[in-house]
Amino acid sequence: MKGTVLGEVGLHMADADNVVTAIDDLEAGAELPYNGEMVELAEAVPFGHKVALVPLERGDAVVKYGETVGEAVEPITPGEWVHTHNCESTRGRGDRAAEDGEVA
Amino acid sequence: MATFEGYPRDSGPAGVRNYVAVIPTSVAASAVAEAIADRAGEHIRATPHQMGIDPPDGAREQIERTLTGVGRNPNVGAAVVVGLGPETVDAEVVADGIAAAGRHVETLSIREAGGTEAALDAGVELTRKCWSGIADARREERDASELVFGVECGGSDATSGIAANPAVGAACDRLVADGGTATFSETPEFIGAEHILAERCSDADVRERLLDRVERRESTAQLMGVDLRGAQPSPGNQEGGLTTIEEKSLGAISKGGTTPIRGIVDYAERLPVGGGLVLMDTPGYDIESVVGKVAGGAQVIAFTTGRGSTTGNPLAPVIKVTGNPKTADRLASNMDVDASTVIDGEPIESVGDRVYKTLLRVASGERTAAEQRRLEEFAINELQPNELAELRGDA
């Protein structure tokens, strides 16, 4: 498959990615080898969902497929689940435009 | 070169099926069209839809274009166009468009026939007459370059972008290399990946039109002051691990493969034959989007799914491909290709080869899971008020 399998449980699609996709239902404490170190899962992560490999600050780009797929909306530590609770799209945000008063 | 066994047509590429299509001009004729097809037998297919009898002008044009395109699809040998009578979508206009492609066409008005019972009897008679004209058609060897292959994704999850979509994309690359046409659509799912698609456009004009279409779909969300996240990715997509529209789009575009984008056409507009990769501007709704491509001339559809889908189409065989091992197992009787093997290490190229061979076999008559179970959905994209305003030029 495209990308690199980390520890047989996570798929790293491109070198630049700061998240990895779970290719199994993962329990808290599971370990992913990354950059010569082990990233320990802080919580259970379901199949197909993403796990942070590096620390992310609010506003940092979340990168998958070597491309920005959204931004962190709170600090995320390595091994944390990355999903809609802590990562948001930067596109099609009519709601933000409305808050900013840009839409009549 | 790759070949398939298809039904030659007087004009245009060969069909992969040989149907009489029963095409209602409105929802008011849809039940009768369905009943005619049910009664008339196995070579007759109805395309019941939900559009009303007096749609606004822009919508009417799109409905006429869709119905005409559906009747001209190479899989249709002859057609019966059925109306209640008062429709502004004119059965004669649709029939003339279909006849222009060299197909035998009949029209039927429920009102003039004397009501549903009489129309049903008359309709069955007309479909038999139509069938007798095409029943002798026999398959012959045709070049794969005659194939227009539509690809669609639905019920996406993280495996769609990892396995199923790139595998179908590899099959698209093979078909394009063999001279055929591949097409994908769902413009809302280009958002966040349009910079990659733009780089692949064969010329500046195509690039400009592509970016314009993406901008239009995105600004619709902006104008309404809504958060696109409410709909994209859908709650089901999110459960499957997709977090943002960008992530979904980057996975979605891989189903079209890696060849240059040669053009972009409107919903249900005619797709070129031998045209390489051509996009169609459609909404993100699976059924409407598949119908747009069938109306554009696609003879076969590949439908990738992560969380599962059972959908088919009345006129074009739909090949189901899943990259999710659980879906491959649970919905085994609805799937045609298991691409979840990618997760166990099967190379994308190898799965793509399986998809391409399935495409050629299905084009030659092998029935897909959806066909075997007669799963046939049909719906036409309904233009929204803001889209109609734009067509009128007062947006």
Side-chain angles (χ1 to χ4, degrees), chain B residues 244-256:
Chain B
T244 63
I245 181 64
E246 297 94 309
E247 183 183 15
K248 182 174 176 178
S249 294
L250 289 162
I253 64 166
S254 64
K255 67 184 179 290

Side-chain angles (χ1 to χ4, degrees), chain B residues 275-289:
Chain B
L277 181 63
V278 176
L279 308 187
M280 182 179 279
D281 181 23
T282 76
Y285 308 113
D286 307 341
I287 310 296
E288 298 173 11
S289 176

Side-chain angles (χ1 to χ4, degrees), chain A residues 74-86:
Chain A
E74 57 184 61
I76 304 174
T77 57
E80 255 189 83
W81 178 38
V82 177
H83 200 38
T84 48
H85 60 292
N86 57 12

